[in-house]
């Protein structure tokens, strides 16, 4: 029921016949907890469009598939569905929104050699990329390898924890310099913006002297 995912499934249902016409034996499986009634009504076995809803074992579900389709048109943050797919060896077809925060540089590379799948910007490109990634062995293997590489590079726990520790150590060592540069913080700590705090301290002191 997450709005970006609902929108994504609706878009998939609209373009799936185009993909299916090029891949007559292909099937699309939709997973996710709390599907809306609208999403459930899209289930169509004759069209190869299966709405499963919640699954107990996402690993088992993904390991049986070949490509993840994620035509996200809005949303924010790291996309867990893409991380899971890379972790289980599935390359991905998505949009620039879907790929945000999941690349080495700030620039999204539309070249599949630089990403774990294909990043596309319109429906025609999405249909073509989906078919190409599904049918082209070399492209699939290259995208799978790159996805695993990106997963290990961007989301390595030991590496990222070390970066956080270093940042905290640096902040503690240069605390006063940071506070001097923090204009907003200085304004908030100014006495004119802390009258409620001082008033509460006055009441506390007054109560103690009774």
């Amino acid at each position: 029921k997450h709005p970006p995912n609902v929108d994504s499934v609706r878009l998939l249902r609209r373009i799936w016949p185009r993909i299916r016409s090029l891949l007559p034996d292909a099937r699309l499986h939709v997973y996710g907890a709390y599907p809306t009634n609208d999403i459930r009504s899209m289930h169509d076995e004759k069209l190869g469009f299966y709405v499963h809803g919640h699954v107990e074992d996402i690993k088992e579900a993904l390991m049986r598939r070949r490509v993840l389709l994620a035509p996200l048109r809005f949303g924010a943050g790291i996309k867990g569905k893409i991380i899971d797919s890379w972790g289980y060896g599935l390359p991905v077809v998505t949009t620039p929104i879907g790929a945000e925060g999941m690349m080495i540089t700030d620039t999204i590379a539309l070249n599949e050699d630089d990403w774990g799948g294909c990043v596309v910007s319109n429906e025609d490109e999405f249909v073509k990329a989906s078919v190409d990634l599904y049918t082209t062995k070399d492209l699939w293997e290259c995208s799978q390898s790159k996805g695993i590489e990106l997963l290990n590079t961007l989301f390595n726990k030991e590496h990222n924890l070390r970066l956080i520790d270093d940042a905290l150590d640096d902040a503690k060592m240069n605390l006063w310099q940071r506070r001097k540069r923090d204009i907003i913080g200085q304004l908030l700590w100014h006495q004119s913006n802390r009258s409620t705090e001082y008033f509460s301290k006055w009441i506390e002191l007054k109560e103690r002297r009774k």
Side-chain angles (χ1 to χ4, degrees):
K1 64 181 180 180
H2 187 49
N5 292 337
V6 172
D7 177 75
S8 178
V9 175
R10 287 174 177 162
L11 177 56
L12 278 174
R13 183 61 179 80
R14 188 171 76 240
I15 65 177
W16 177 246
R18 297 176 58 188
I19 297 174
R20 176 83 166 186
S21 68
L22 300 170
L23 301 170
D25 296 325
R27 290 174 292 180
L28 189 145
H29 300 268
V30 178
Y31 301 106
Y34 312 114
T36 64
N37 291 333
D38 178 43
I39 297 299
R40 289 187 180 278
S41 69
M42 296 178 186
H43 184 91
D44 187 340
E45 294 186 11
K46 291 183 179 179
L47 190 61
F49 197 97
Y50 297 82
V51 178
H52 299 278
H54 173 73
V55 290
E56 293 293 335
D57 189 345
I58 190 62
K59 177 181 179 181
E60 179 183 357
L62 292 179
M63 290 288 285
R64 297 167 59 189
R65 310 303 167 208
R66 190 180 302 183
V67 176
L68 175 78
L69 303 183
L72 294 160
R73 294 190 287 188
F74 60 95
I78 301 300
K79 311 306 185 294
K81 60 179 68 65
I82 295 180
I83 292 178
D84 288 341
S85 296
W86 283 349
Y88 297 129
L90 270 72
V92 177
V93 181
T94 191
T95 62
I97 295 294
E100 282 180 348
M102 308 190 73
M103 62 215 81
I104 300 298
T105 66
D106 291 333
T107 302
I108 297 176
L110 299 182
N111 187 340
E112 55 269 7
D113 293 338
D114 298 324
W115 205 71
C118 304
V119 181
V120 297
S121 299
N122 60 59
E123 293 183 17
D124 290 341
E125 291 177 353
F126 195 93
V127 170
K128 183 180 186 305
S130 299
V131 173
D132 289 347
L133 195 54
Y134 189 86
T135 58
T136 309
K137 184 174 184 290
D138 291 344
L139 174 60
W140 189 93
E141 290 178 348
C142 177
S143 297
Q144 182 195 49
S145 298
K146 192 63 181 182
I148 294 172
E149 179 186 336
L150 285 170
L151 186 66
N152 292 330
T153 300
L154 295 172
F155 306 108
N156 180 277
K157 181 174 68 174
E158 287 74 19
H159 172 71
N160 289 331
L161 284 176
R162 187 164 58 251
L163 291 178
I164 293 172
D165 286 339
D166 291 345
L168 290 174
D169 289 341
D170 179 69
K172 288 187 289 186
M173 289 177 62
N174 301 286
L175 185 59
W176 289 109
Q177 290 86 343
R178 284 175 173 269
R179 287 180 173 173
K180 287 180 180 179
R181 296 196 302 268
D182 183 10
I183 303 301
I184 300 300
Q186 292 182 45
L187 289 172
L188 292 174
W189 276 95
H190 191 270
Q191 61 179 3
S192 63
N193 292 315
R194 299 175 67 195
S195 58
T196 302
E197 177 187 353
Y198 290 123
F199 186 64
S200 65
K201 290 181 179 295
W202 177 80
I203 294 176
E204 181 181 355
L205 181 60
K206 181 180 177 182
E207 292 296 322
R208 286 180 181 176
R209 297 184 62 181
K210 285 184 177 179

